[in-house]
C-alpha cells in the first residue's frame, strides 16, 4: 500500500451549524459541500486545505458511530483518511499483515468515494480510513 496523500481529516462535531462558521471565519476556509450519508447516520461538511480536506461530521442519530463517539469522547478528531489506489487490494494486504479491519470490502462514502476503515486497535489508536475515487 502506498497512500498518495492525506485525503481528509474527519472531525466529529455536535453541530455543523456552529462549526462551519468557525472554520469559515477563523481560518478563512469555504465550505464547498454538505452531504448526508444516511447509512452511516452522519451529515458531513467539507473544506479544502491544499490537497487535503477537512470533513466535519455531525451525527444524525445518537446511536450512530459519530453520536456514540461524541458521547464517549466529545467533539474532536475522529479519523484520518489516506487516498489509495486499488482499495480492495489495500484492505486485503493490510489484513494479511495482521491489521484488524472494520471493512473487509470497500463501501460507498461521502463525495462518492469508495472507503474502507482499519480498526484503531491495529493503528495505534487512530481510526484510519482508506479512500479511492471510483473509476
Amino acid at each position: 500500500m502506498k497512500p498518495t496523500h492525506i485525503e481528509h481529516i474527519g472531525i466529529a462535531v455536535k453541530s455543523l451549524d456552529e462549526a462551519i462558521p468557525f472554520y469559515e471565519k477563523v481560518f478563512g476556509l469555504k465550505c464547498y459541500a454538505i452531504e448526508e450519508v444516511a447509512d452511516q447516520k452522519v451529515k458531513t461538511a467539507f473544506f479544502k486545505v491544499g490537497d487535503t480536506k477537512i470533513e466535519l461530521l455531525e451525527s444524525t442519530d445518537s446511536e450512530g458511530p459519530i453520536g456514540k463517539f461524541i458521547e464517549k469522547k466529545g467533539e474532536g478528531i475522529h479519523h484520518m483518511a489516506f487516498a489509495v489506489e486499488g482499495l480492495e487490494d489495500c484492505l486485503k494486504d493490510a489484513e494479511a499483515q495482521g491489521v484488524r479491519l472494520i471493512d473487509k470490502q470497500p463501501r460507498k462514502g461521502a463525495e462518492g468515494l469508495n472507503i474502507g476503515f482499519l480498526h484503531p486497535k491495529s493503528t495505534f489508536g487512530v481510526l484510519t480510513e482508506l479512500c479511492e475515487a471510483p473509476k
Side-chain angles (χ1 to χ4, degrees):
M1 175 182 341
K2 290 220 182 239
T4 58
H5 62 281
I6 295 174
E7 211 288 330
H8 66 269
I9 297 170
I11 301 173
V13 299
K14 291 179 183 174
S15 168
L16 291 180
D17 289 339
E18 291 179 19
I20 290 170
F22 171 82
Y23 281 83
E24 290 182 334
K25 287 174 72 179
V26 174
F27 296 114
L29 301 175
K30 175 76 176 125
C31 177
Y32 70 85
I34 296 174
E35 175 183 353
E36 185 171 336
V37 184
D39 68 323
Q40 294 178 35
K41 301 176 181 174
V42 69
K43 193 164 144 186
T44 64
F46 284 94
F47 301 86
K48 194 93 157 127
V49 183
D51 288 336
T52 304
K53 294 179 253 179
I54 301 294
E55 177 188 35
L56 301 182
L57 304 148
E58 175 189 275
S59 182
T60 58
D61 181 337
S62 61
E63 293 302 310
I66 299 302
K68 289 179 180 178
F69 177 88
I70 289 175
E71 176 69 28
K72 185 176 180 181
K73 297 185 177 187
E75 295 176 294
I77 293 178
H78 178 260
H79 67 273
M80 180 168 59
F82 291 101
V84 298
E85 294 179 8
L87 175 58
E88 190 168 350
D89 289 337
C90 290
L91 291 170
K92 287 178 185 174
D93 291 347
E95 186 174 41
Q97 293 180 59
V99 175
R100 186 173 162 192
L101 303 181
I102 292 173
D103 299 300
K104 290 186 181 265
Q105 293 294 318
R107 59 184 163 111
K108 290 291 177 202
E111 296 196 301
L113 295 175
N114 295 318
I115 64 169
F117 281 93
L118 311 181
H119 199 285
K121 288 187 178 178
S122 292
T123 57
F124 303 94
V126 178
L127 178 60
T128 303
E129 180 180 8
L130 303 179
C131 304
E132 181 178 42
K135 294 178 174 140

